[in-house]
C-alpha cells in the first residue's frame, strides 16, 4: 500500500487531468489523464507506482501509433495462424482429475476443500477518497 | 564426451563406454563449477541421479528407450515440472510447485532424458537479455572463453576482471548458457518473439523455433498464446532434430496442435542446386553491424557457389512488424497475467480487506516493472475506445505480415536467409543503459515477424566476430516444413564448421578459485 500512498503524495500538489503527462517527453500524447490512470489500474489490478511508469506507457502508445501509417482497408484481422484449420476437440470422456488435494496444496489459504478469499464486492477506494500521504 | 553429439553419446551409452550415472555426475559437477554463470535457477540433482540410475538399468537389460535415454537436458523455468519448483523467474511464482509436467517435459522424460534442472530467464519470458528475472542476470559463457579473452588482451582499452561480462541474450538465456557451457546436451526454451533464437545467436548454438502448432504448449506458462512455441537449443542441428522428433506431434491437451504425426528423419543434403534461397531486402537495416552484414552476404554467396538459386525478395511490412508485435504481445499479456491473483497458487500478500485489494497488492509485489508495464499497456490497447484502433488494427497488420511471407514462398523460395541479431553479444553494463521495452524492440527485429506468421526458423552459428564472439544467421522455412528447414540448416552447418567454445581454462581456474575461497573462509574463522 506504500506505493499507492506515495502515488497520492505525488498527486496532491498537482491535481487535475494534467497530472502525470511527462513534461519532458515530446511524444507525450497527453492522453494519459488521471481518469485513464485510475481506470487502467482498476482493470489491470496493477498500479503504475511511479511517474516513470506513466511516461513509459506514453512512449509505448506513441510507438503503437505508428500502425496508423499502414493501409489496412479490406484486410481482415488475423487471430490465429491456424485459422484455416479446425480445432481438435477431445471426446467427452473423463480420463483424469480427482486431484483436489494436489491443487489445494499450492494455495496459501485453504479451509477444507475451499480456497479462502477476502470479502468480495468491495471496490477499491477511489484515489480522492483515500487518506493523503502524511508528510513528514 | 561432453562435446559430442547426442547420437554419439547415445551410442557410447549403449556400448557401455560410459554409464548414465557417470554422465550425470560429470554434468552436475560442471554445473557446480559454472554456478557463477547463473544459468540454473533449480538444479534437480536427486531427480537426475535417480533418473540416471533407472536409465542404467535399462541399458544393462538392453532396453534403452531411444536416443535420449540417459541424456542430460535442461528446461527453461516457465515449463511446468511436477514436483520441481517452477518460478518463471518471478516473485509471483516463487515456491510454486506444479502438480503436473508440461507435455514437452513429459515426452522428454518418457524417452529417459535426465532433467538436470530449470534454467534462468527474463521474468515471465519478457525481455531480450535474460537480465530481468528475480534471480539475477545470466552470464554468457563466451565472456570467459579463450577466444574472447585473447582478443581482449590485444585491446589496450578493455577493462579487466569480471565486471565486463556479456549477456546471453533472451529470454531463454539460462538454457543457452547451460548448453553452451556443456552442462547438458539440449535445453528447452520458449520462443515468442525470438527468445530461443536470440540467445542461440549470442551463445553460438543451434536455436530452433518449430512451426506454431507442431509442438504442444500444454504446461508452458503462456505469454502470448497465438505466438508462443517451445524452442530447442542444442550444439548441433542433428541434436535439435532428435529432440524435435520426440516433441513434435498432436497433443490432445493442446487444441492448437495440428494432427501431424509424421516421424522426423533428417537426411543429408548433398546437392543444393535445386534449392532457392530468398534474401529479404528490408532486413538490411542501417543498425545491422557490418560484420554480420558481411557474413550474411558470404553465406548467400556460398549457396550460390554451390549451385543454389539465391534471389532477393521483399517483405514490405517488415518495418511495422515490431510495432504490431508490441501491441499484440502486450494485449495478450494483459489477459494471460490476469490469472495471477494469489488465490489458488503463487504469491499472496497479507491484505485481507477485500478481494480486489488483495489482488492488487499481490500483483504489485509479485510482478516486476517490466511485467506490470506490459500489463498496463495491454489494458490500454484493449480499452473499448482503443480496441479498434490498436488491437484490431494490429491484427490486420499481422495478416499483412503473414501474407508477405506467403507471397515470398509462393515465388519459388524454399528458405529465407536473414541475420538473427543486430550485433554480437554486448556487455551487461552496456545493455542495461536502455530499458527492457526499447531493447526488445531493437533486438527482436529479425526474429519476431516469424512468430507472427507462425513459421519455423532456426539460428545457425556461422563464425566468430573480430572480438571472438559468436555470430549466427537465421533460416526461415515454410509452415510445417520443419524437416526441410533443418535439412538445409544441417548442410550449412557442415559448410561453416563453427568453432567449439574453449572453456577448459575457465573450468580449471574455477576449481582453483573455489579451492582458494574455501581456504580463505577457513582462515577467517580462525
Amino acid at each position: 500500500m506504500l506505493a499507492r500512498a506515495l502515488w497520492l503524495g505525488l498527486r496532491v500538489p498537482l491535481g487535475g487531468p494534467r497530472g502525470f503527462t511527462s513534461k519532458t517527453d515530446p511524444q507525450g500524447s497527453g492522453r494519459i489523464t488521471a481518469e485513464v490512470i485510475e481506470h487502467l489500474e482498476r482493470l489491470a489490478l496493477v498500479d503504475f507506482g511511479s511517474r516513470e511508469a506513466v511516461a513509459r506507457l506514453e512512449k509505448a502508445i506513441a510507438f503503437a501509433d505508428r500502425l496508423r501509417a499502414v493501409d489496412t482497408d479490406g484486410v481482415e484481422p488475423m487471430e490465429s495462424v491456424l485459422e484455416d484449420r479446425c480445432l481438435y476437440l477431445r471426446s467427452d470422456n473423463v480420463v483424469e482429475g480427482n486431484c483436489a488435494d494436489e491443487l489445494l496444496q499450492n494455495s496459501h489459504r485453504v479451509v477444507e476443500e475451499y480456497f479462502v478469499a477476502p470479502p468480495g464486492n468491495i471496490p477499491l477506494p477511489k484515489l480522492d477518497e483515500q487518506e493523503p500521504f502524511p508528510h513528514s | 564426451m561432453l562435446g559430442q553429439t547426442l547420437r554419439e553419446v547415445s551410442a557410447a551409452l549403449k556400448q557401455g563406454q560410459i554409464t548414465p550415472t557417470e554422465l550425470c555426475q560429470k554434468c552436475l559437477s560442471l554445473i557446480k563449477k559454472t554456478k557463477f554463470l547463473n544459468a540454473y535457477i533449480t538444479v534437480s540433482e536427486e531427480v537426475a541421479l535417480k533418473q540416471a540410475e533407472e536409465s542404467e538399468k535399462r541399458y544393462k537389460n538392453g532396453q534403452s528407450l531411444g536416443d535420449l535415454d540417459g541424456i542430460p537436458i535442461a528446461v527453461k523455468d516457465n515449463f511446468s515440472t511436477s514436483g520441481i519448483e517452477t518460478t518463471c523467474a518471478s516473485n509471483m511464482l516463487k515456491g510454486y510447485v506444479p502438480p503436473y509436467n508440461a507435455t514437452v517435459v513429459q515426452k522428454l522424460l518418457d524417452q529417459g532424458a535426465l532433467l538436470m534442472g530449470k534454467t534462468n530467464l527474463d521474468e515471465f519470458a519478457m525481455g531480450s537479455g535474460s537480465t530481468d528475472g528475480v534471480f539475477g542476470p545470466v552470464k554468457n559463457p563466451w565472456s570467459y572463453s579463450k577466444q574472447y579473452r585473447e582478443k581482449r588482451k590485444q585491446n589496450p582499452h578493455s577493462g579487466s576482471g569480471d565486471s565486463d561480462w556479456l549477456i546471453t541474450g533472451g529470454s531463454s538465456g539460462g538454457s543457452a548458457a547451460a548448453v553452451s557451457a556443456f552442462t547438458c546436451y539440449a535445453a528447452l526454451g520458449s520462443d515468442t518473439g525470438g527468445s530461443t533464437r536470440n540467445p542461440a545467436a549470442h551463445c553460438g548454438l543451434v536455436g530452433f523455433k518449430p512451426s506454431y502448432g507442431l509442438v504442444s504448449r500444454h504446461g508452458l506458462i503462456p505469454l502470448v498464446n497465438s505466438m508462443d512455441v517451445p524452442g530447442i537449443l542444442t550444439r548441433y542441428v542433428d541434436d535439435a532434430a532428435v529432440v524435435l522428433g520426440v516433441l513434435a506431434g498432436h497433443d490432445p491437451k493442446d487444441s492448437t496442435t495440428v494432427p501431424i504425426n509424421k516421424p522426423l528423419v533428417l537426411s543429408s543434403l548433398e546437392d543444393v542446386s535445386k534449392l532457392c534461397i530468398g534474401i529479404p531486402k528490408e532486413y538490411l537495416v542501417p543498425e545491422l553491424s557490418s560484420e554480420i552484414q558481411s557474413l550474411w552476404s558470404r553465406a548467400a554467396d556460398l549457396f550460390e557457389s554451390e549451385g543454389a538459386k539465391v534471389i532477393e525478395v521483399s517483405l514490405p511490412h517488415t518495418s511495422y512488424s515490431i510495432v504490431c508485435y508490441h501491441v499484440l504481445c502486450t494485449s495478450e499479456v494483459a489477459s494471460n497475467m490476469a490469472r495471477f491473483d494469489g488465490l489458488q497458487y503463487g504469491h499472496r500478500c497479507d491484505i485481507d480487506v477485500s478481494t480486489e485489494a488483495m489482488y492488487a497488492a499481490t500483483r504489485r509485489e509479485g510482478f516486476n516493472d517490466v511485467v506490470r508495464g506490459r500489463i498496463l499497456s495491454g489494458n490500454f490497447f484493449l480499452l473499448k475506445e482503443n480496441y479498434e484502433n490498436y488491437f484490431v488494427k494490429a491484427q490486420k497488420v499481422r495478416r499483412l505480415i503473414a501474407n508477405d511471407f506467403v507471397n515470398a514462398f509462393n515465388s519459388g523460395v524454399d528458405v529465407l536467409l536473414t541475420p538473427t541479431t543486430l550485433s554480437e553479444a554486448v556487455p551487461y553494463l552496456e545493455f542495461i543503459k536502455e530499458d527492457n521495452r526499447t531493447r526488445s524492440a531493437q533486438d527482436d527485429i529479425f526474429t519476431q515477424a516469424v512468430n507472427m506468421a507462425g513459421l519455423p526458423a532456426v539460428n545457425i552459428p556461422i563464425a566468430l566476430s573480430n572480438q571472438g564472439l559468436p555470430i549466427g544467421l537465421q533460416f526461415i522455412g515454410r509452415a510445417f516444413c520443419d524437416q526441410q528447414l533443418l535439412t538445409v540448416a544441417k548442410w550449412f552447418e557442415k559448410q561453416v564448421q563453427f568453432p567449439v567454445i574453449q572453456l577448459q581454462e575457465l573450468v580449471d581456474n574455477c576449481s582453483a578459485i573455489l579451492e582458494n575461497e574455501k581456504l580463505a573462509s577457513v582462515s577467517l574463522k580462525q
Side-chain angles (χ1 to χ4, degrees):
Chain A
M1 280 320 198
L2 181 62
R4 207 170 183 82
L6 275 171
W7 177 253
L8 267 182
L10 287 169
R11 281 170 61 76
V12 166
L14 291 166
R18 245 186 333 113
F20 285 97
T21 316
S22 172
K23 291 187 183 99
T24 53
D25 182 356
Q27 289 174 318
S29 57
R31 244 183 294 167
I32 311 303
T33 61
E35 283 86 9
V36 173
I37 290 174
E38 198 172 331
H39 190 39
L40 285 176
E41 287 189 339
R42 265 169 209 278
L43 283 175
L45 283 180
V46 156
D47 58 351
F48 279 88
S50 69
R51 208 177 202 144
E52 281 81 32
V54 182
R56 275 199 294 262
L57 177 61
E58 288 182 338
K59 282 205 198 103
I61 297 170
F63 188 57
D65 279 336
R66 290 193 213 171
L67 280 180
R68 288 173 197 227
V70 188
D71 178 11
T72 52
D73 271 340
V75 180
E76 284 296 301
M78 178 185 245
E79 273 152 20
S80 166
V81 294
L82 301 177
E83 58 189 1
D84 293 332
R85 295 172 185 261
C86 286
L87 275 186
Y88 171 84
L89 294 176
R90 285 188 275 180
S91 56
D92 196 8
N93 298 320
V94 176
V95 293
E96 57 182 11
N98 280 327
C99 50
D101 284 333
E102 283 176 271
L103 296 176
L104 289 166
Q105 266 168 40
N106 273 315
S107 172
H108 286 270
R109 231 162 278 185
V110 166
V111 167
E112 292 180 16
E113 286 204 336
Y114 294 90
F115 294 110
V116 179
N121 282 327
I122 301 175
L124 285 173
K126 283 201 203 296
L127 284 173
D128 52 14
E129 282 167 10
Q130 284 190 8
E131 299 281 310
F133 185 61
H135 294 283
S136 50
Chain B
M1 183 62 63
L2 289 177
Q4 293 188 314
T5 70
L6 230 146
R7 285 224 171 90
E8 284 168 355
V9 179
S10 187
L13 285 167
K14 282 200 185 86
Q15 287 156 23
Q17 287 168 25
I18 186 171
T19 68
T21 310
E22 283 166 352
L23 194 54
C24 187
Q25 299 278 22
K26 268 194 183 189
C27 287
L28 284 170
S29 137
L30 201 49
I31 291 176
K32 288 198 182 83
K33 285 186 185 161
T34 54
K35 196 163 174 204
F36 60 92
L37 292 176
N38 206 15
Y40 285 84
I41 294 178
T42 307
V43 180
S44 45
E45 185 165 338
E46 281 172 29
V47 168
L49 286 168
K50 183 155 176 290
Q51 290 166 343
E53 210 181 290
E54 286 163 12
S55 174
E56 213 163 302
K57 278 191 210 131
R58 287 191 292 266
Y59 274 110
K60 278 212 177 86
N61 295 336
Q63 287 170 336
S64 90
L65 294 167
D67 283 331
L68 284 179
D69 202 338
I71 302 287
I73 53 128
V75 167
K76 188 175 178 183
D77 209 16
N78 58 355
F79 285 93
S80 304
T81 43
S82 177
I84 300 175
E85 192 185 9
T86 298
T87 64
C88 294
S90 174
N91 280 323
M92 187 57 89
L93 287 178
K94 246 190 193 163
Y96 168 64
V97 180
Y100 71 106
N101 278 323
T103 299
V104 289
V105 172
Q106 191 61 54
K107 283 187 170 178
L108 289 173
L109 295 177
D110 286 345
Q111 287 290 308
L114 312 180
L115 180 58
M116 304 311 284
K118 308 298 292 299
T119 58
N120 205 349
L121 58 152
D122 279 307
E123 183 158 341
F124 281 111
M126 298 188 199
S128 60
S130 300
T131 52
D132 278 325
V134 295
F135 297 100
V138 184
K139 297 184 183 178
N140 192 330
W142 283 86
S143 317
Y144 307 98
S145 66
K146 196 169 168 193
Q147 288 107 326
Y148 179 62
R149 294 262 135 171
E150 274 178 1
K151 294 280 179 175
R152 296 223 71 190
K153 279 188 207 142
Q154 292 164 13
N155 179 358
H157 300 292
S158 64
S160 63
D162 193 34
S163 57
D164 49 1
W165 53 270
L166 310 157
I167 57 161
T168 48
S171 59
S172 312
S175 287
V179 177
S180 180
F182 301 104
T183 63
C184 58
Y185 287 87
L188 287 184
S190 67
D191 197 312
T192 306
S195 293
T196 294
R197 293 160 284 155
N198 181 301
H202 288 316
C203 296
L205 299 173
V206 173
F208 181 67
K209 176 212 169 291
S211 301
Y212 181 86
L214 188 63
V215 179
S216 170
R217 288 180 301 112
H218 174 74
L220 167 60
I221 295 174
L223 180 64
V224 180
N225 299 75
S226 65
M227 296 186 214
D228 283 350
V229 291
I232 302 170
L233 289 141
T234 56
R235 294 189 282 275
Y236 304 100
V237 175
D238 247 342
D239 296 355
V242 169
V243 177
L244 181 64
V246 168
L247 299 184
H250 177 65
D251 180 16
K253 292 183 183 174
D254 178 358
S255 65
T256 59
T257 53
V258 299
I260 285 183
N261 277 314
K262 273 186 317 206
L264 201 97
V265 176
L266 264 203
S267 52
S268 273
L269 183 66
E270 300 301 327
D271 173 24
V272 292
S273 59
K274 297 200 183 61
L275 213 56
C276 179
I277 307 288
I279 310 284
K281 65 180 191 207
E282 290 85 0
Y283 279 49
L284 182 59
V285 294
E287 298 86 357
L288 181 62
S289 93
S290 51
E291 268 191 291
I292 300 188
Q293 191 179 330
S294 140
L295 285 167
W296 185 20
S297 186
R298 275 165 55 189
D301 291 340
L302 171 67
F303 275 104
E304 207 160 37
S305 68
E306 294 291 322
K309 194 166 150 208
V310 178
I311 59 171
E312 192 185 73
V313 295
S314 175
L315 301 174
H317 296 92
T318 298
S319 59
Y320 298 106
S321 66
I322 200 82
V323 186
C324 179
Y325 175 73
H326 163 74
V327 174
L328 292 177
C329 175
T330 49
S331 303
E332 290 216 34
V333 161
S335 166
N336 278 324
M337 295 295 130
R339 71 191 67 193
F340 297 107
D341 55 20
L343 213 47
Q344 292 166 295
Y345 44 74
H347 174 65
R348 178 177 175 146
C349 73
D350 285 326
I351 292 185
D352 257 339
V353 170
S354 70
T355 322
E356 286 219 343
M358 189 276 272
Y359 289 175
T362 297
R363 289 157 70 80
R364 182 188 319 120
E365 289 169 16
F367 292 139
N368 72 2
D369 282 343
V370 175
V371 179
R372 281 162 49 206
R374 290 202 194 187
I375 293 173
L376 289 164
S377 301
N379 274 101
F380 180 83
F381 298 133
L382 292 171
L383 289 175
K384 257 187 284 188
E385 61 263 30
N386 295 330
Y387 192 78
E388 271 298 318
N389 295 332
Y390 289 97
F391 185 66
V392 177
K393 180 85 180 177
Q395 286 186 313
K396 292 180 180 177
V397 176
R398 182 177 183 177
R399 182 177 298 282
L400 292 174
I401 292 167
N403 284 345
D404 278 354
F405 282 103
V406 169
N407 293 338
F409 286 122
N410 280 346
S411 68
V413 167
D414 296 302
V415 163
L416 294 167
L417 171 62
T418 78
T420 312
T421 53
L422 287 170
S423 71
E424 67 217 341
V426 299
Y428 174 72
L429 293 173
E430 184 66 41
F431 185 78
I432 53 174
K433 284 182 187 163
E434 294 278 2
D435 73 29
N436 184 291
R437 187 187 65 79
T438 312
R439 283 295 180 209
S440 297
Q442 292 165 348
D443 299 335
D444 286 346
I445 191 168
F446 299 122
T447 49
Q448 50 70 237
V450 168
N451 293 81
M452 291 222 276
L455 301 172
V458 62
N459 171 79
I460 302 294
I462 174 175
L464 294 183
S465 70
N466 288 336
Q467 287 196 63
L469 294 174
I471 289 180
L473 291 179
Q474 174 178 238
F475 291 89
I476 306 172
R478 295 174 197 237
F480 299 107
C481 293
D482 302 55
Q483 185 168 315
Q484 183 195 39
L485 178 67
L486 284 174
T487 309
V488 174
K490 184 172 166 178
W491 179 87
F492 186 71
E493 174 190 57
K494 195 165 162 204
Q495 304 298 313
V496 301
Q497 300 280 309
F498 182 75
V500 176
I501 184 177
Q502 283 160 17
L503 280 179
Q504 196 48 45
E505 212 179 82
L506 160 77
V507 173
D508 293 337
N509 282 342
C510 199
S511 20
I513 293 171
L514 283 171
E515 278 304 309
N516 284 338
E517 280 178 17
K518 275 188 220 157
L519 289 172
S521 62
V522 166
S523 61
L524 277 172
K525 279 179 200 153
Q526 287 167 346

